[in-house]
Amino acid sequence: MKKFLFLAGILIFIAIFAEFLAPQDPYAQNLDKALLPPNAENLLGTDRYGRDLFSRIIVGSQTTLLATFLILISITIFGTLIGLVAGFFGKKIDAILMRLTDLFLAFPQMVFAIAVAGILGGGLFNAALAISMVAWTKYARLSRSLVLQVCNADFISAAKISGAKNLKIIFRHILPNISGTILVTSALDIGTIIMEIAGLSFLGLGAQPPTAEWGAMMSNGRVFLQTAPHVILAPGFAIFITVAIFNLLGDKMRDFLDKN
């Protein structure tokens, strides 16, 4: 797991310091250098406006990963809280919250996100909001099921008998015991969210020009697939590598948790 943590750390480091690591201005246009293949000056070539693809991919990592982690944090916190409340209090509260969850689960996640993003209009914030509105349901269902298991434990009964308040029981006794599974699920979700952000941007519902974002870069370069394939292959490969690293990290975290 250490090597995948290291690789993920490198990706996060690149995203944080993208402006300093980019060798050229990712937004500087030079039509005289449009669609150049990879060369010594432009390691991954240039796009239709002569912008350096290598620099745009580095800066695009910041855009993509920042949006990904903001979505991940919001859906993990919101979904987990819904599941905690539903599982712990049960009865009518559980029924209401779970029917609300079922309502969002009734629609295919990506289709619903496209519809919401289309209504809200293009933009990375609207795309992130659209994904967040449907992606929290997994955490609500998962945390509820975990809470129901933990609530049957003896130490929870002992805490209730000792007079501990509900909030103390939830956040001091229950949440720490389910956090491992929630974190592993979050790690496995990173790749999915990256793909969804890229998908919305590819459709024109995410990041708008001239913002450097991998999905938008693929969308802008798809017309040059035959004449200048590097324009679409470079951001596509960046997405592939990033998703693969975080998926493998999530798998290793799950294996580590199962052993312990």
Side-chain angles (χ1 to χ4, degrees):
M1 186 172 71
K2 291 182 179 179
K3 63 180 179 181
F4 294 113
L5 276 173
F6 176 73
L7 292 174
I10 290 177
L11 291 175
I12 295 172
F13 176 84
I14 291 173
I16 294 173
F17 299 100
E19 289 88 352
F20 304 100
L21 296 175
Q24 299 183 35
D25 184 350
Y27 300 107
Q29 299 183 17
N30 186 347
L31 295 180
D32 292 333
K33 295 183 177 181
L35 301 176
L36 288 179
N39 55 73
E41 183 180 357
N42 308 105
L43 296 180
L44 296 177
T46 60
D47 65 6
R48 65 197 302 176
Y49 300 109
R51 297 174 297 195
D52 181 53
L53 277 176
F54 183 64
S55 299
R56 286 183 64 76
I57 285 175
I58 291 177
V59 174
S61 69
Q62 185 178 75
T63 305
T64 301
L65 290 181
L66 176 61
T68 297
F69 283 111
L70 286 176
I71 293 171
L72 190 67
I73 291 170
S74 63
I75 65 175
T76 301
I77 293 175
F78 182 74
T80 301
L81 287 176
I82 292 293
L84 280 169
V85 172
F88 183 78
F89 292 102
K91 298 181 180 179
K92 290 184 178 180
I93 294 178
D94 182 27
I96 293 172
L97 292 177
M98 287 303 100
R99 295 302 75 76
L100 177 64
T101 303
D102 292 339
L103 178 63
F104 283 93
L105 283 171
F107 302 94
Q109 181 169 313
M110 193 58 183
V111 175
F112 189 82
I114 291 173
V116 172
I119 294 171
L120 296 176
L124 192 60
F125 176 80
N126 288 340
L129 181 60
I131 295 171
S132 300
M133 287 180 64
V134 292
W136 61 271
T137 53
K138 175 192 299 184
Y139 296 91
R141 280 291 184 183
L142 175 62
S143 60
R144 175 183 177 272
S145 64
L146 293 171
V147 169
L148 292 176
Q149 296 175 19
V150 175
C151 280
N152 294 323
D154 293 337
F155 67 90
I156 298 297
S157 300
K160 290 180 179 179
I161 294 172
S162 66
K165 295 182 178 180
N166 289 335
L167 287 178
K168 182 178 180 180
I169 295 174
I170 291 173
F171 291 104
R172 186 172 180 178
H173 298 290
I174 296 178
L175 185 59
N177 282 280
I178 68 172
S179 59
T181 304
I182 298 295
L183 288 175
V184 170
T185 304
S186 297
L188 289 169
D189 252 1
I190 294 176
T192 301
I193 296 174
I194 290 174
M195 293 292 291
E196 290 176 346
I197 292 173
L200 290 178
S201 295
F202 186 86
L203 295 173
L205 299 173
Q208 301 298 303
T211 303
E213 195 278 329
W214 295 338
M217 291 169 65
M218 291 186 67
S219 179
N220 293 329
R222 68 185 187 278
V223 295
F224 304 106
L225 182 59
Q226 293 183 337
T227 56
H230 65 279
V231 177
I232 190 171
L233 292 178
F237 189 69
I239 294 173
F240 170 76
I241 290 295
T242 304
V243 170
I245 288 174
F246 281 108
N247 280 349
L248 290 170
L249 175 61
D251 287 337
K252 294 298 181 181
M253 289 177 62
R254 181 176 56 193
D255 294 340
F256 178 79
L257 184 65
D258 290 341
K259 291 179 181 178
N260 294 275

PDB file of all heavy atoms in Angstrom, residues 177-194:
ATOM      1  N   ASN A 177     -16.080   3.501  14.961  1.00  0.00           N
ATOM      2  CA  ASN A 177     -16.119   2.089  14.603  1.00  0.00           C
ATOM      3  C   ASN A 177     -16.557   1.837  13.166  1.00  0.00           C
ATOM      4  O   ASN A 177     -16.398   0.718  12.661  1.00  0.00           O
ATOM      5  CB  ASN A 177     -17.062   1.349  15.563  1.00  0.00           C
ATOM      6  CG  ASN A 177     -16.432   1.082  16.907  1.00  0.00           C
ATOM      7  OD1 ASN A 177     -15.652   0.157  17.077  1.00  0.00           O
ATOM      8  ND2 ASN A 177     -16.760   1.925  17.881  1.00  0.00           N
ATOM      9  N   ILE A 178     -17.113   2.840  12.513  1.00  0.00           N
ATOM     10  CA  ILE A 178     -17.524   2.658  11.111  1.00  0.00           C
ATOM     11  C   ILE A 178     -16.673   3.492  10.158  1.00  0.00           C
ATOM     12  O   ILE A 178     -16.809   3.371   8.946  1.00  0.00           O
ATOM     13  CB  ILE A 178     -19.011   3.023  10.917  1.00  0.00           C
ATOM     14  CG1 ILE A 178     -19.240   4.525  11.091  1.00  0.00           C
ATOM     15  CG2 ILE A 178     -19.895   2.248  11.881  1.00  0.00           C
ATOM     16  CD1 ILE A 178     -20.642   4.982  10.734  1.00  0.00           C
ATOM     17  N   SER A 179     -15.796   4.319  10.717  1.00  0.00           N
ATOM     18  CA  SER A 179     -15.032   5.258   9.881  1.00  0.00           C
ATOM     19  C   SER A 179     -14.085   4.553   8.920  1.00  0.00           C
ATOM     20  O   SER A 179     -13.846   5.034   7.811  1.00  0.00           O
ATOM     21  CB  SER A 179     -14.251   6.243  10.755  1.00  0.00           C
ATOM     22  OG  SER A 179     -13.364   5.548  11.621  1.00  0.00           O
ATOM     23  N   GLY A 180     -13.537   3.394   9.328  1.00  0.00           N
ATOM     24  CA  GLY A 180     -12.610   2.682   8.451  1.00  0.00           C
ATOM     25  C   GLY A 180     -13.251   2.273   7.145  1.00  0.00           C
ATOM     26  O   GLY A 180     -12.705   2.516   6.058  1.00  0.00           O
ATOM     27  N   THR A 181     -14.416   1.669   7.221  1.00  0.00           N
ATOM     28  CA  THR A 181     -15.139   1.247   6.017  1.00  0.00           C
ATOM     29  C   THR A 181     -15.543   2.448   5.172  1.00  0.00           C
ATOM     30  O   THR A 181     -15.476   2.405   3.936  1.00  0.00           O
ATOM     31  CB  THR A 181     -16.390   0.442   6.409  1.00  0.00           C
ATOM     32  OG1 THR A 181     -16.001  -0.664   7.221  1.00  0.00           O
ATOM     33  CG2 THR A 181     -17.115  -0.069   5.173  1.00  0.00           C
ATOM     34  N   ILE A 182     -15.962   3.535   5.827  1.00  0.00           N
ATOM     35  CA  ILE A 182     -16.346   4.749   5.102  1.00  0.00           C
ATOM     36  C   ILE A 182     -15.150   5.320   4.348  1.00  0.00           C
ATOM     37  O   ILE A 182     -15.268   5.733   3.178  1.00  0.00           O
ATOM     38  CB  ILE A 182     -16.914   5.802   6.073  1.00  0.00           C
ATOM     39  CG1 ILE A 182     -18.179   5.277   6.770  1.00  0.00           C
ATOM     40  CG2 ILE A 182     -17.207   7.099   5.340  1.00  0.00           C
ATOM     41  CD1 ILE A 182     -19.337   5.034   5.858  1.00  0.00           C
ATOM     42  N   LEU A 183     -13.988   5.341   4.988  1.00  0.00           N
ATOM     43  CA  LEU A 183     -12.788   5.894   4.345  1.00  0.00           C
ATOM     44  C   LEU A 183     -12.358   5.056   3.144  1.00  0.00           C
ATOM     45  O   LEU A 183     -11.943   5.600   2.123  1.00  0.00           O
ATOM     46  CB  LEU A 183     -11.648   5.996   5.361  1.00  0.00           C
ATOM     47  CG  LEU A 183     -11.793   7.088   6.430  1.00  0.00           C
ATOM     48  CD1 LEU A 183     -10.657   6.987   7.446  1.00  0.00           C
ATOM     49  CD2 LEU A 183     -11.800   8.469   5.788  1.00  0.00           C
ATOM     50  N   VAL A 184     -12.434   3.739   3.272  1.00  0.00           N
ATOM     51  CA  VAL A 184     -12.092   2.864   2.149  1.00  0.00           C
ATOM     52  C   VAL A 184     -13.040   3.098   0.981  1.00  0.00           C
ATOM     53  O   VAL A 184     -12.625   3.186  -0.186  1.00  0.00           O
ATOM     54  CB  VAL A 184     -12.119   1.390   2.581  1.00  0.00           C
ATOM     55  CG1 VAL A 184     -12.005   0.473   1.367  1.00  0.00           C
ATOM     56  CG2 VAL A 184     -10.988   1.099   3.561  1.00  0.00           C
ATOM     57  N   THR A 185     -14.322   3.226   1.287  1.00  0.00           N
ATOM     58  CA  THR A 185     -15.307   3.510   0.235  1.00  0.00           C
ATOM     59  C   THR A 185     -15.022   4.838  -0.440  1.00  0.00           C
ATOM     60  O   THR A 185     -15.132   4.966  -1.658  1.00  0.00           O
ATOM     61  CB  THR A 185     -16.728   3.526   0.829  1.00  0.00           C
ATOM     62  OG1 THR A 185     -16.970   2.281   1.498  1.00  0.00           O
ATOM     63  CG2 THR A 185     -17.776   3.728  -0.249  1.00  0.00           C
ATOM     64  N   SER A 186     -14.617   5.836   0.343  1.00  0.00           N
ATOM     65  CA  SER A 186     -14.274   7.144  -0.213  1.00  0.00           C
ATOM     66  C   SER A 186     -13.072   7.042  -1.150  1.00  0.00           C
ATOM     67  O   SER A 186     -13.063   7.641  -2.233  1.00  0.00           O
ATOM     68  CB  SER A 186     -13.968   8.139   0.917  1.00  0.00           C
ATOM     69  OG  SER A 186     -15.092   8.348   1.722  1.00  0.00           O
ATOM     70  N   ALA A 187     -12.069   6.279  -0.728  1.00  0.00           N
ATOM     71  CA  ALA A 187     -10.882   6.114  -1.566  1.00  0.00           C
ATOM     72  C   ALA A 187     -11.232   5.436  -2.891  1.00  0.00           C
ATOM     73  O   ALA A 187     -10.718   5.808  -3.947  1.00  0.00           O
ATOM     74  CB  ALA A 187      -9.824   5.301  -0.821  1.00  0.00           C
ATOM     75  N   LEU A 188     -12.117   4.440  -2.829  1.00  0.00           N
ATOM     76  CA  LEU A 188     -12.531   3.748  -4.050  1.00  0.00           C
ATOM     77  C   LEU A 188     -13.399   4.631  -4.944  1.00  0.00           C
ATOM     78  O   LEU A 188     -13.514   4.385  -6.141  1.00  0.00           O
ATOM     79  CB  LEU A 188     -13.289   2.468  -3.693  1.00  0.00           C
ATOM     80  CG  LEU A 188     -12.446   1.336  -3.094  1.00  0.00           C
ATOM     81  CD1 LEU A 188     -13.349   0.245  -2.532  1.00  0.00           C
ATOM     82  CD2 LEU A 188     -11.508   0.759  -4.142  1.00  0.00           C
ATOM     83  N   ASP A 189     -14.009   5.657  -4.362  1.00  0.00           N
ATOM     84  CA  ASP A 189     -14.894   6.542  -5.113  1.00  0.00           C
ATOM     85  C   ASP A 189     -14.136   7.644  -5.858  1.00  0.00           C
ATOM     86  O   ASP A 189     -14.717   8.308  -6.722  1.00  0.00           O
ATOM     87  CB  ASP A 189     -15.912   7.193  -4.175  1.00  0.00           C
ATOM     88  CG  ASP A 189     -17.306   6.624  -4.377  1.00  0.00           C
ATOM     89  OD1 ASP A 189     -17.467   5.721  -5.216  1.00  0.00           O
ATOM     90  OD2 ASP A 189     -18.244   7.075  -3.696  1.00  0.00           O
ATOM     91  N   ILE A 190     -12.879   7.863  -5.516  1.00  0.00           N
ATOM     92  CA  ILE A 190     -12.129   8.961  -6.135  1.00  0.00           C
ATOM     93  C   ILE A 190     -12.074   8.804  -7.648  1.00  0.00           C
ATOM     94  O   ILE A 190     -12.335   9.744  -8.404  1.00  0.00           O
ATOM     95  CB  ILE A 190     -10.705   9.040  -5.541  1.00  0.00           C
ATOM     96  CG1 ILE A 190     -10.766   9.428  -4.070  1.00  0.00           C
ATOM     97  CG2 ILE A 190      -9.860  10.053  -6.320  1.00  0.00           C
ATOM     98  CD1 ILE A 190      -9.424   9.430  -3.377  1.00  0.00           C
ATOM     99  N   GLY A 191     -11.738   7.602  -8.097  1.00  0.00           N
ATOM    100  CA  GLY A 191     -11.651   7.355  -9.535  1.00  0.00           C
ATOM    101  C   GLY A 191     -12.986   7.568 -10.232  1.00  0.00           C
ATOM    102  O   GLY A 191     -13.046   8.148 -11.326  1.00  0.00           O
ATOM    103  N   THR A 192     -14.066   7.121  -9.593  1.00  0.00           N
ATOM    104  CA  THR A 192     -15.399   7.290 -10.177  1.00  0.00           C
ATOM    105  C   THR A 192     -15.753   8.759 -10.332  1.00  0.00           C
ATOM    106  O   THR A 192     -16.272   9.185 -11.371  1.00  0.00           O
ATOM    107  CB  THR A 192     -16.456   6.598  -9.297  1.00  0.00           C
ATOM    108  OG1 THR A 192     -16.132   5.207  -9.184  1.00  0.00           O
ATOM    109  CG2 THR A 192     -17.838   6.744  -9.899  1.00  0.00           C
ATOM    110  N   ILE A 193     -15.455   9.546  -9.303  1.00  0.00           N
ATOM    111  CA  ILE A 193     -15.778  10.982  -9.354  1.00  0.00           C
ATOM    112  C   ILE A 193     -14.946  11.685 -10.413  1.00  0.00           C
ATOM    113  O   ILE A 193     -15.451  12.567 -11.128  1.00  0.00           O
ATOM    114  CB  ILE A 193     -15.568  11.616  -7.969  1.00  0.00           C
ATOM    115  CG1 ILE A 193     -16.546  11.013  -6.966  1.00  0.00           C
ATOM    116  CG2 ILE A 193     -15.753  13.130  -8.038  1.00  0.00           C
ATOM    117  CD1 ILE A 193     -16.314  11.464  -5.533  1.00  0.00           C
ATOM    118  N   ILE A 194     -13.682  11.324 -10.546  1.00  0.00           N
ATOM    119  CA  ILE A 194     -12.836  11.909 -11.589  1.00  0.00           C
ATOM    120  C   ILE A 194     -13.442  11.646 -12.963  1.00  0.00           C
ATOM    121  O   ILE A 194     -13.511  12.542 -13.815  1.00  0.00           O
ATOM    122  CB  ILE A 194     -11.405  11.335 -11.508  1.00  0.00           C
ATOM    123  CG1 ILE A 194     -10.696  11.853 -10.257  1.00  0.00           C
ATOM    124  CG2 ILE A 194     -10.598  11.717 -12.758  1.00  0.00           C
ATOM    125  CD1 ILE A 194      -9.338  11.231 -10.022  1.00  0.00           C
TER     126      ILE A 194
END
